[in-house]
Amino acid sequence: MMFRSTAKTTISFCLLIFVLSLQAQEGKDKAVMSHVSGPFEVKLTQQEDKTDPGIGRVILDKKFHGELEATSHGVMIFPTGTPKDTGGYVAVEIVSGTLAGHTGTFALQHSGTMNAGTYSLSVLVVPGSGTNQLAGLTGKMNINIASDGKHSYDFEYTLPAR
């Protein structure tokens, strides 16, 4: 009888330790949602494509400042000849630098439209594109253009806990 009681206690204690270790490991694997914002400059270089005059192409070069201290290089394509205040574009850019103290690169994918002057824009981190300390990065970026033409970003992201 004494052995059974001790065995039950030992088993219960072992199960408790097992559950607590699983919870501790689960906490280590959780990503933390973060938000950074700041200004950026962009240089657009028009590329002429004589093979398909209906598609415009622009090279993007950006410099981000703030908690995202980085540069990027990318390509934007869009249909030409759309009426005023309408259109759309897609772009991919590779960002290289430091995000909140974490160094590496990642890709951003853009999809934007304008209809009667109303914008819709999606800028997402390409899944699996993060390198080095930015491996596992996910997130979305909002781009703001002030009336004076200055650009800024709001970046909501998660990084795996390290």
Side-chain angles (χ1 to χ4, degrees):
M1 180 85 167
M2 175 84 89
F3 176 74
R4 285 180 124 183
S5 169
T6 305
K8 284 182 181 178
T9 302
T10 302
I11 290 170
S12 294
F13 181 73
C14 288
L15 285 173
L16 177 64
I17 296 298
F18 177 71
V19 168
L20 290 175
S21 70
L22 284 177
Q23 289 175 344
Q25 183 62 38
E26 191 176 89
K28 286 182 184 176
D29 293 338
K30 287 190 178 178
V32 177
M33 177 71 73
S34 298
H35 177 263
V36 296
S37 59
F40 72 92
E41 296 92 40
V42 61
K43 177 184 172 193
L44 304 174
T45 306
Q46 187 79 30
Q47 301 290 298
E48 193 172 334
D49 185 355
K50 294 183 182 191
T51 61
D52 195 349
I55 296 178
R57 177 183 160 112
V58 170
I59 302 298
L60 303 168
D61 288 295
K62 294 181 182 175
K63 289 184 181 180
F64 294 92
H65 304 288
E67 286 293 304
L68 175 59
E69 197 63 42
T71 59
S72 76
H73 183 73
V75 177
M76 173 193 303
I77 59 172
F78 54 92
T80 60
T82 58
K84 184 179 180 187
D85 294 332
T86 65
Y89 84 96
V90 294
V92 172
E93 63 183 301
I94 305 299
V95 180
S96 179
T98 303
L99 172 61
H102 303 281
T103 303
T105 63
F106 61 93
L108 290 174
Q109 177 177 307
H110 300 231
S111 177
T113 59
M114 180 173 52
N115 188 10
T118 301
Y119 294 94
S120 173
L121 179 62
S122 170
V123 182
L124 302 173
V125 173
V126 174
S129 66
T131 67
N132 299 324
Q133 294 174 333
L134 298 177
L137 177 71
T138 61
K140 64 181 179 176
M141 182 179 282
N142 290 316
I143 295 175
N144 307 301
I145 305 172
S147 59
D148 63 1
K150 292 187 178 180
H151 291 69
S152 64
Y153 66 88
D154 289 303
F155 189 28
E156 193 172 278
Y157 68 92
T158 58
L159 270 173
R162 309 267 184 229

